[in-house]
Amino acid sequence: LINDNVMECCRIYGVKKLVSCLSTCIFPDKTSYPIDETMVHNGPPHSSNMGYSMAKRMIDTLNHCYKDQYDLDYTSVIPTNIYGPHDNFCIEDGHVIPGLIHKCYVAKRDGTDFVIWGTGSPLRQFIYSEDLAFLTVWVLRKYDSIEPIILSVDEEAEVSIKDVAEMVAEAMGFEGKVICDTTKADGQFKKTASNQKLRSYLPDYKFLSMKEGVKRSVDWFVENYETARK
């Protein structure tokens, strides 16, 4: 309903361009990799995300309907995993990198092991928040299609959760043990996304490296620990 109301209000009040944010969880649970923008509606999403995923998919459907009926250029972006300063660093319900940063901070403070859930082997693509902000503004100003576009680092930049944890530990100056709790589930092994469409428009765009992005995120969290969302 939020999506529907935002889009309808934009139409009523004469908004010429609307960029909505989707998620990689909208893609079919059973699919081939890398996933791309043509696969959004090719099968049901994972059951754990069914309601959220289908609501997000409907944005793409509505973008096409609003183009057909009102000739409006409303479109959508599909970012991969986002991280950066000002994130939600809650260990229980935050996303991967902010959760790991908070866990590592506590482990360093308390002199305990830095424990990550699962084997650490699942692979993910992470995009730094400032890169996503730049690209979203680019979509608003320069991207003229109603078809969704994936905003992601290259496939080669995909990293394992264990590698991310080690980057966090290095940036935090944590010298203890990094332990994988294999009694916890890994979740989906990979969700590799293709940014071929993005690269066709911006072939030379340079994403911030993971190592530097993690360092900036860790530094921000440490400096703003008392007021950070956690």
Side-chain angles (χ1 to χ4, degrees), residues 40-80:
V40 171
H41 301 285
N42 284 0
H46 192 275
S47 58
S48 64
N49 292 315
M50 184 66 70
Y52 176 80
S53 300
M54 294 306 293
K56 286 294 188 181
R57 283 188 185 187
M58 284 305 298
I59 293 175
D60 177 54
T61 301
L62 283 172
N63 285 339
H64 284 80
C65 292
Y66 273 67
K67 179 65 175 178
D68 290 344
Q69 187 165 351
Y70 304 114
D71 196 30
L72 291 170
D73 292 321
Y74 294 172
T75 192
S76 56
V77 298
I78 309 175
T80 47

Side-chain angles (χ1 to χ4, degrees), residues 134-198:
F134 174 88
L135 292 172
T136 302
V137 172
W138 170 82
V139 168
L140 181 65
R141 293 175 175 170
K142 301 292 185 181
Y143 181 69
D144 295 325
S145 172
I146 64 170
E147 300 296 337
I149 183 168
I150 291 172
L151 302 183
S152 172
V153 297
D154 302 319
E155 293 170 48
E156 296 77 15
E158 194 171 47
V159 294
S160 72
I161 302 303
K162 181 66 181 298
D163 287 341
V164 174
E166 289 174 348
M167 290 181 202
V168 169
E170 180 182 351
M172 189 73 70
F174 176 76
E175 297 179 352
K177 293 181 180 179
V178 180
I179 305 295
C180 295
D181 180 0
T182 56
T183 66
K184 305 294 186 182
D186 273 335
Q188 194 169 352
F189 177 68
K190 65 185 296 181
K191 298 192 292 183
T192 313
S194 169
N195 69 355
Q196 185 175 354
K197 179 188 279 191
L198 175 65

